Amino acid sequence: MKTRILKYAAAAMAMFAFASCNDIVDYDDGYTALEDMANTGAPKITGVYNVADTLLTTPLAEGQPGQMVRIVGENLNNVKTITFNTVEADLSQVYTYSTSANVVIPSELSRESQNKIVYTTDKGTAEFDFVVPYPQLRVDGMVCEYVNAGDSVTITGQNFDYYDFGNSSQVTVNGTPLGVGSITNTQMKALVPEGTADNSTLLFTWTDGTSGQQMTATLTFRPNQNLLYGDFSDVTPKADGSYSATVEGDDALTTGAAALGRPHIHVTGTSDAWGWNTIDLERNMIDAGDLTNLDDYVLKFEVLTASDNGLTEASPLQFSFNWGDSYTWNPGDGFGLNTHGEWQTITLPLAPMATNGIVAPGTWMTLRLVLSPSATYTADFRLANFRIEHK
């Protein structure tokens, strides 16, 4: 009897399941995703937002080259072209819905100050006021200020690749245009003519892409007017600890290392972790101008490391003038620095290492370097051209 009841129950459940399957409703019938909706008319733009602004709380009036933005409006599918200041966006990087479109502002920009987005679909065109400022050129400095005449200098800054250096934009020295080599957004190489004298001025001229104004900037090539220790001819570094410091010339450089054209200090030796090692550089103070406000000045010098032995994160250097507080330089912003046999200019703030002030010209002055590595460290690096310069 129990077996018969189970058979009837199983049959009933099967019939119920069959009937239920027949009653299933496909709720997707007639649904069209927003990205597949056909446009019902010409496109309309109501705003532009950062793609991270998912709640659309802060509309944008302008954007930057390479920035991804969200265009919001109506009938935005089936896009044919999107232009910013007449330059077409890459449609392979565009994703549209009927009510919005994610698009990357072109990195290639026109100098035309149209300041509009022009959005074209299969149903028409919409225009929307939107500013994409032409990137302003900024000239910061040189990777090494003491490149030798006849070699290429690497200039640092911002937006070099938006300006036609060597043609409409120029860099000259003593009126002579420099040959321009590779250019990236943040660096540009230029060949300094043989025979260019120390303290010569590199003059940059260009037309600002937004205002149309003629702009200039200057950098000093091999500045030697404020060298604290001259050519080290009357200075003997006093090293106390595990490291030695000797004055050497280009003839002591290892094969392949860049010549400096000036004497330098060579620091060598091995120190255990937390060893206290000092190097004192002493001489009468030079006349470096009015140093009343030390915050307006920097200490500069050149550094060179052997290719197989850079300054590591464990080997910071401390600097102090006349036994004041020390300022710690962490090479490579704490990640270490290997110049691979090339000289590199370092710029440090003067005030934190001169808390006792800077003595008057002609007064005995000491610059102390402290090396206290946090792990055993073998040094093989060179320092040169200590100088005080205005920011």
Side-chain angles (χ1 to χ4, degrees):
M1 183 69 177
K2 183 182 293 185
T3 302
R4 187 178 298 175
I5 291 173
L6 291 173
K7 286 181 178 180
Y8 287 147
M13 291 176 64
M15 291 178 64
F16 176 76
F18 180 77
S20 297
C21 288
N22 284 338
D23 290 338
I24 291 176
V25 176
D26 186 356
Y27 289 101
D28 286 339
D29 285 351
Y31 172 76
T32 302
L34 288 174
E35 62 267 27
D36 296 325
M37 282 188 176
N39 295 322
T40 60
K44 179 180 179 182
I45 299 175
T46 58
V48 181
Y49 299 82
N50 191 306
V51 290
D53 185 2
T54 57
L55 298 180
L56 307 181
T57 57
T58 307
L60 300 178
E62 67 176 52
Q64 301 299 320
Q67 179 184 4
M68 178 173 279
V69 296
R70 175 170 295 147
I71 298 173
V72 175
E74 301 172 7
N75 295 315
L76 299 178
N77 276 332
N78 297 316
V79 64
K80 302 302 182 184
T81 60
I82 305 173
T83 64
F84 294 78
N85 283 357
T86 74
V87 180
E88 291 191 15
D90 182 358
L91 292 186
S92 68
Q93 300 184 65
V94 173
Y95 190 79
T96 67
Y97 300 93
S98 64
T99 56
S100 67
N102 292 348
V103 56
V104 176
I105 298 174
S107 294
E108 298 290 334
L109 291 182
S110 168
R111 288 178 179 265
E112 296 185 31
S113 55
Q114 184 191 53
N115 293 329
K116 288 184 182 295
I117 297 172
V118 179
Y119 196 106
T120 302
T121 71
D122 59 339
K123 296 292 187 179
T125 297
E127 292 188 359
F128 189 81
D129 291 338
F130 189 77
V131 178
V132 183
Y134 199 87
Q136 291 187 322
L137 177 65
R138 192 183 76 223
V139 178
D140 291 340
M142 293 178 268
V143 171
C144 179
E145 295 179 358
Y146 268 76
V147 167
N148 285 298
D151 293 336
S152 289
V153 62
T154 300
I155 301 142
T156 61
Q158 199 74 37
N159 298 321
F160 288 114
D161 52 344
Y162 286 99
Y163 291 82
D164 190 16
F165 271 94
N167 295 298
S168 58
S169 302
Q170 293 282 341
V171 54
T172 61
V173 60
N174 301 325
T176 301
L178 274 60
V180 175
S182 61
I183 296 178
T184 68
N185 186 265
T186 58
Q187 290 190 345
M188 177 178 74
K189 288 186 177 295
L191 181 63
V192 179
E194 291 188 11
T196 301
D198 290 2
N199 300 305
S200 293
T201 298
L202 302 185
L203 173 64
F204 300 79
T205 57
W206 70 95
T207 301
D208 182 74
T210 299
S211 68
Q213 292 181 330
Q214 287 296 116
M215 308 294 290
T216 63
T218 59
L219 296 174
T220 303
F221 174 71
R222 295 181 65 89
N224 63 20
Q225 294 179 325
N226 289 326
L227 295 177
L228 295 177
Y229 302 102
D231 60 1
F232 291 108
S233 59
D234 56 353
V235 178
T236 300
K238 295 180 179 179
D240 184 16
S242 300
Y243 296 125
S244 63
T246 55
V247 176
E248 297 180 353
D250 288 340
D251 57 344
L253 293 171
T254 56
T255 302
L260 184 67
R262 294 190 58 82
H264 61 268
I265 296 172
H266 188 192
V267 180
T268 57
T270 300
S271 172
D272 293 334
W274 309 118
W276 189 258
N277 310 280
T278 63
I279 299 172
D280 290 340
L281 302 175
E282 299 176 329
R283 188 179 189 235
N284 283 338
M285 179 61 191
I286 65 167
D287 186 354
D290 182 8
L291 301 178
T292 302
N293 188 355
L294 296 182
D295 289 327
D296 291 337
Y297 290 84
V298 294
L299 176 74
K300 285 189 176 185
F301 57 92
E302 273 66 50
V303 62
L304 179 148
T305 70
S307 295
D308 58 352
N309 188 9
L311 289 160
T312 72
E313 64 276 8
S315 57
L317 277 72
Q318 299 176 43
F319 295 80
S320 67
F321 278 94
N322 292 346
W323 326 118
D325 295 341
S326 294
Y327 174 83
T328 300
W329 172 49
N330 293 297
D333 293 328
F335 293 97
L337 175 67
N338 191 328
T339 71
H340 298 283
E342 299 289 336
W343 290 97
Q344 181 172 323
T345 299
I346 303 299
T347 303
L348 304 177
L350 180 63
M353 64 180 70
T355 55
N356 285 343
I358 297 293
V359 296
T363 305
W364 197 249
M365 174 266 297
T366 299
L367 173 61
R368 165 163 283 190
L369 282 64
V370 177
L371 295 86
S372 182
S374 60
T376 299
Y377 175 67
T378 297
D380 184 7
F381 61 89
R382 300 165 190 266
L383 305 171
N385 304 323
F386 291 98
R387 56 196 182 275
I388 291 175
E389 293 186 6
H390 198 278
K391 290 182 179 178

